[in-house]
Amino acid sequence: MPSEPRRVTDDAGVEFTLGAQIGRGNQGAVYRVAGYPEYAIKLVDRPTDLDRISAVRRLPLDGLPVAAPLTLIQNGGTGYLMRLASDMTPIREPYLPRVFGPRETKAAWYASTGGLKRRLAIAANMAGSIAALHERGLAYVDLNPNNVMVSNDLARTETWLIDADNLTSRVNPKWDIHGFPGYLAPERARRRDSPPSTLADTYILAIHVFRMLVMQHPLEGVAANDVDGDTARQLMDRGELPYVADPQNLSNHLSPQSFPAGLFPLVMSGRMRKIAEQTFVAGRLDPTKRPGSARWREVLFNALDNVIDCPSDCGWTYFRLQAKCPSCGTSTESTTMITVYPAAEELSLPARNSFVASQTLDTAVLPRHLWGHYDQPDPVVVFRPGSRGFEVNAQDEARVVDDSGKSVNRIPKPTGDTFYRLRLDAAGRPSRFLAVRSVQPA
């Protein structure tokens, strides 16, 4: 005989019926809410956590993709109500399963689950959320595969963090959760009294990124394979194995014929390799030498901006400078690139401001491309591909002009050495030049 559905009541007197369990973590479980598809409820195991959850409600989380507590559950259980889109599921499947089996070692499976492009988009969004929390003086504490939610729709890359009750101030960090096995900063695994920190958050973020892309923990090489699984995990959590791509210590390299070894050079851009090395070599046991979450955000979005689709539509996505598709071998065609420069021509902007203009979809020029503002998602200019070139659609009060000051709303597709220089003016913002050119693969 089926059991009665569980009902709980919040501090506003509203009764909710718990639906399916989404996941369970160190502190409790998260459930869907029957009849309210855009909401979820977390019930914690310790009623004493209610004071801490009340404090989290006062934190500055507005505008962030973080499922913050809305009301407190006090009858029928202890916890809180939060917003969460109905089609979102924990990132652990398929991107971060506990064990990668035969299915997860095939190129077709990698492509069918979103390939490089979707994985990078999710990773960049995660980094954006963590960096935004850090910029507000908060540490997330327990970034694990159960707490990162993504859409079931492969065409969408929206990414949310749940379990906001983990949050703590980096000025006065207080929390007794050290993390999730496989997703721990070494200093917190080694010392139970080590407090949460933004640099610990960033180390765990880097583990997520590496595992999503390379399908292996960044310290899980041949040395880890030589010991039993529990011992290997403890060694990795404590940072007692070298990074798999440590240039000075090759004792724990990736198995040469393994799927991760084949993926590594294809899915890790030059800047990504550098920041991963800084994190897992010098920064593995010395948090002060780790790049921060803002740097990871910048590097990951730059990498995402330079991914293209296979020209023969085999389903693989890869970095534009590769001469051919890694999956089917089709030669890479020339790519239309947009590069941002300051209006003062004697200055230069970093290379992160160069990005691919799609030949099939709208390309949004965002505030992060122009001014480094990652908290503003609305496009400033949209390039829309057509049969002979691009429509140039300036948004709101922005204006795109040529060298003579004439408004530009369309440009031909650049070929050969031809390029087009446009000036972008936006009210209250520094002007920028946009150079649109055709670039050949390496």
Side-chain angles (χ1 to χ4, degrees):
M1 185 174 179
S3 60
E4 283 290 317
R6 185 175 178 182
R7 292 179 172 84
V8 297
T9 305
D10 71 4
D11 55 1
V14 180
E15 184 180 77
F16 301 97
T17 300
L18 300 186
Q21 181 175 302
I22 299 172
R24 167 165 278 280
N26 291 318
Q27 307 96 41
V30 179
Y31 301 86
R32 287 292 176 190
V33 182
Y36 297 88
E38 300 301 309
Y39 291 86
I41 285 175
K42 179 175 180 179
L43 296 182
V44 296
D45 297 331
R46 300 181 306 186
T48 54
D49 288 341
L50 200 60
D51 288 343
R52 180 174 48 78
I53 296 170
S54 297
V56 169
R57 293 175 70 186
R58 298 190 290 270
L59 295 177
L61 301 177
D62 292 347
L64 299 183
V66 176
L70 299 175
T71 61
L72 300 180
I73 303 298
Q74 297 177 317
N75 294 315
T78 302
Y80 60 91
L81 176 75
M82 57 185 163
R83 286 192 178 88
L84 188 66
S86 60
D87 72 334
M88 303 199 86
T89 189
I91 200 174
R92 65 175 182 268
E93 295 291 349
Y95 299 110
L96 297 169
R98 286 185 179 271
V99 178
F100 293 106
R103 180 192 66 161
E104 291 87 10
T105 56
K106 293 181 172 63
W109 171 84
Y110 195 89
S112 70
T113 52
L116 173 61
K117 182 180 286 186
R118 188 168 199 252
R119 283 170 170 81
L120 269 178
I122 292 170
N125 288 337
M126 285 176 59
S129 297
I130 294 298
L133 287 171
H134 291 174
E135 288 164 354
R136 299 185 187 199
L138 302 172
Y140 185 76
V141 182
D142 189 21
L143 186 65
N144 74 64
N146 296 309
N147 292 344
V148 183
M149 307 292 287
V150 294
S151 174
N152 287 323
D153 183 353
L154 291 180
R156 295 176 56 199
T157 59
E158 185 178 7
T159 307
W160 276 69
L161 302 179
I162 63 171
D163 271 15
D165 52 295
N166 294 320
L167 293 170
T168 188
S169 166
R170 69 180 182 185
V171 176
N172 185 27
K174 295 178 180 178
W175 191 223
D176 56 357
I177 296 297
H178 282 73
F180 194 81
Y183 298 87
L184 281 167
E187 64 273 16
R188 303 206 72 212
R190 289 166 174 245
R191 292 179 49 204
R192 302 300 294 178
D193 61 346
S194 178
S197 71
T198 56
L199 291 174
D201 277 357
T202 304
Y203 188 91
I204 302 168
L205 167 69
I207 293 175
H208 277 79
V209 172
F210 197 90
R211 286 199 87 217
M212 275 199 296
L213 295 173
V214 184
M215 312 304 290
Q216 199 125 308
H217 189 285
L219 308 187
E220 188 180 4
V222 293
N225 296 336
D226 287 341
V227 298
D228 68 83
D230 288 342
T231 300
R233 193 196 72 213
Q234 291 175 11
L235 292 172
M236 289 186 289
D237 284 347
R238 291 172 60 86
E240 293 177 1
L241 292 171
Y243 175 45
V244 296
D246 187 333
Q248 305 300 322
N249 187 340
L250 305 180
S251 64
N252 193 34
H253 61 80
L254 293 168
S255 298
Q257 302 304 316
S258 67
F259 188 52
L263 281 174
F264 182 87
L266 301 178
V267 301
M268 295 287 286
S269 69
R271 289 185 181 85
M272 289 170 64
R273 295 184 202 188
K274 181 177 179 180
I275 196 173
E277 183 179 316
Q278 292 170 336
T279 301
F280 298 118
V281 180
R284 176 164 47 92
L285 300 180
D286 185 349
T288 65
K289 294 183 178 179
R290 292 173 195 160
S293 55
R295 179 60 180 153
W296 272 98
R297 175 181 62 188
E298 179 182 321
V299 168
L300 289 169
F301 273 112
N302 171 257
L304 176 63
D305 286 339
N306 284 273
V307 173
I308 60 173
D309 298 314
C310 172
S312 66
D313 294 326
C314 79
W316 199 262
T317 53
Y318 59 98
F319 292 121
R320 63 178 177 83
L321 291 179
Q322 293 176 359
K324 59 184 180 181
C325 172
S327 180
C328 70
T330 300
S331 296
T332 301
E333 300 172 347
S334 61
T335 302
T336 301
M337 298 293 298
I338 302 172
T339 304
V340 181
Y341 298 96
E345 295 182 75
E346 69 274 8
L347 301 176
S348 63
L349 285 180
R352 67 178 172 83
N353 295 285
S354 291
F355 49 98
V356 171
S358 173
Q359 302 300 310
T360 57
L361 302 172
D362 287 358
T363 297
V365 183
L366 300 168
R368 68 176 172 86
H369 296 125
L370 300 166
W371 305 293
H373 295 166
Y374 288 84
D375 59 339
Q376 299 170 10
D378 295 330
V380 181
V381 181
V382 174
F383 284 76
R384 175 163 295 169
S387 57
R388 296 183 180 180
F390 294 90
E391 292 181 15
V392 182
N393 299 317
Q395 308 294 300
D396 299 327
E397 298 181 9
R399 185 167 178 252
V400 178
V401 299
D402 61 18
D403 287 339
S404 68
K406 181 180 178 181
S407 292
V408 175
N409 54 32
R410 185 182 301 273
I411 60 170
K413 179 180 178 180
T415 58
D417 294 331
T418 302
F419 74 95
Y420 301 95
R421 190 174 78 158
L422 312 172
R423 180 186 174 103
L424 168 66
D425 296 318
R429 298 288 181 84
S431 296
R432 295 289 185 248
F433 281 123
L434 306 179
V436 186
R437 55 168 64 87
S438 176
V439 177
Q440 297 295 324

